[in-house]
Amino acid sequence: MNLEKIDIHNSEETYQKCILVLGEDKDISETNKKLIINFLKDAAIGKTARKGARRRQVNVRARLKNLYLLKSVARFMKKDFERISVKDMEKMVESLNNDKFLSFNGKKYSEQSKSNIKGTFIQFLRWMHKDGRKARELTDWIDTSYKRKEKPFLRETDVESIVRKANTLRQKILFAFLFDCGCRIEEF
């Protein structure tokens, strides 16, 4: 049985539109735009992995995320990535950690997003500084760890109680099915 993955998000089309929007962004230098686009092209064919790491192509959804994160950093830094110093990196990390580095809509980033920004930019700098020495100087000290949020979940007894209290047989079956399969409501 050959199951074809269906892209319900139109990721490739969205990615192409975002690349065009990047090209029109007045807050990001032309040098940084070119670097970001070249990084994403190399990521698509697996050329951004660390030396010694298994080379793997980065899918379009991950490249969209990387594009968003790198645009955020470029807007925050306000200088060409090639000219970034350790002091600039310290300022960025401090601003992220202290909620001074805000998202495009002016909101604070979650701890996981802060970690993703740091990790993506570290990967980008290692790709950009091929020799490694400069990248290590800029990034080796950065902590990308974060405390994971505990996600609330339903226990089996909670589900049984909800199923018992459902009004119709259809509701009972639907809720029990969703819980049994681990589905989200939008996946049903």
Side-chain angles (χ1 to χ4, degrees), residues 96-111:
L96 265 173
N97 291 344
N98 295 322
D99 295 324
K100 304 283 189 246
F101 184 143
L102 303 175
S103 68
F104 292 120
N105 60 6
K107 294 184 179 177
K108 296 176 185 177
Y109 284 107
S110 70
E111 293 305 310

Side-chain angles (χ1 to χ4, degrees), residues 148-166:
R148 295 186 187 270
K149 267 195 215 175
E150 192 171 306
K151 295 182 181 176
F153 62 93
L154 296 173
R155 294 182 306 272
E156 193 169 348
T157 56
D158 299 330
V159 173
E160 289 169 354
S161 173
I162 292 170
V163 169
R164 273 194 312 277
K165 293 176 183 175

Side-chain angles (χ1 to χ4, degrees), residues 49-84:
R50 288 180 91 168
K51 281 187 178 173
R54 188 174 70 93
R55 303 271 181 217
R56 87 174 218 273
Q57 297 172 349
V58 178
N59 70 41
V60 70
R61 297 291 300 165
R63 289 190 321 247
L64 267 167
K65 179 180 175 182
N66 289 345
L67 173 57
Y68 172 80
L69 297 176
L70 291 171
K71 280 176 59 174
S72 298
V73 173
R75 285 182 173 176
F76 176 82
M77 290 286 196
K78 294 182 176 64
K79 75 189 302 186
D80 288 342
F81 290 147
E82 295 165 332
R83 296 182 31 234
I84 287 175

